[in-house]
Every structure is written in structure tokens, then in C-alpha cells.
Amino acid sequence: MIERQETKQRMSRIVKHNGTIYLCGQVCADATQGIKEQTQTMLDKVETLLEQAGSDKEHMLSATIYIKDMKDFAEMNEVWDNWVPAGHAPARACVEASMAREALLVEISVIAAEK
């Protein structure tokens, strides 16, 4: 069975299937902020969605991070490293990419297991 939450025309914020949770891409709460702040509020949103879906950071399987400019890579990683629980890092990819809005600096897509 596939369960979709907060479904709109283009996407669902959460999709659950066979104990796996897929989150749609998450961006920051305030795009006027710098990379560290954008990364932190983006990860806060991920954490909230994981909890809503019946999971948490320790159950992340995979994360794909899209960063507007690799010059921000080290600062983004500083926030990421403090957010991910020790010993629970997911498989991860990080790529430089154009963003849907000019002010966005980072976006993440997460796959996790249910608790």
C-alpha cells in the first residue's frame, strides 16, 4: 500500500511504501538568510516531516543535497555534521545545482525507514 500525505497537483510532501518514507525536496524557511541559516531551517523541516511520518534522523537511509554554489559546501557541511546523530549518517550525495528560486542556496531530498 502506498500512503501519500499533503498531496497537491505536483507532489506529495511525504510518501510511505513498505516501511520506507520518501520526503519531497525541502528548502529553508527564509531565503534571505545565508547558507548556514538556510541549511539549519531546511533540516528542521526535514526533522518535523520525519516525525510526522513516523521516523526520525536516526532512521535516514539516503539524503541528496543540492547546493547552489560549492563555495558554500564547507559551511553547509558544518551545519549538517552537527545535525546528523553520530553513527547514523545516511548514504549521501551533494551536487551543485540551479535552484527553483534565485535566493535559495540549498535543498535536500530524504529517504528514511519507519521506526
Side-chain angles (χ1 to χ4, degrees):
M1 180 177 99
I2 299 172
E3 177 188 340
R4 301 177 200 287
Q5 296 179 19
E6 298 183 43
T7 300
K8 298 187 175 161
Q9 181 179 353
R10 281 192 194 133
M11 68 181 143
S12 299
R13 287 193 76 192
I14 299 169
V15 175
K16 294 169 74 171
H17 181 255
N18 288 338
T20 304
I21 298 163
Y22 303 85
L23 302 183
C24 71
Q26 295 300 305
V27 297
C28 64
D30 181 357
T32 66
Q33 300 294 312
I35 187 66
K36 285 185 175 183
E37 296 82 3
Q38 284 197 27
T39 301
Q40 185 61 60
T41 60
M42 171 189 76
L43 294 174
D44 292 345
K45 289 168 72 175
V46 167
E47 194 163 359
T48 297
L49 288 172
L50 287 173
E51 289 174 14
Q52 180 181 329
S55 190
D56 58 26
K57 299 188 284 188
E58 293 183 358
H59 287 80
M60 286 189 301
L61 303 172
S62 175
T64 303
I65 299 171
Y66 306 92
I67 191 166
K68 184 176 183 175
D69 192 326
M70 279 297 178
K71 73 175 176 51
D72 292 327
F73 186 70
E75 287 186 280
M76 180 277 298
N77 272 329
E78 184 180 324
V79 177
W80 171 264
D81 291 344
N82 288 321
W83 182 77
V84 175
H88 296 280
R92 187 185 108 162
C94 183
V95 297
E96 187 173 77
S98 296
M99 296 293 158
R101 294 188 323 234
E102 184 63 29
L104 294 173
L105 302 176
V106 64
E107 181 172 350
I108 191 170
S109 179
V110 170
I111 300 170
E114 287 183 303
K115 285 200 245 181

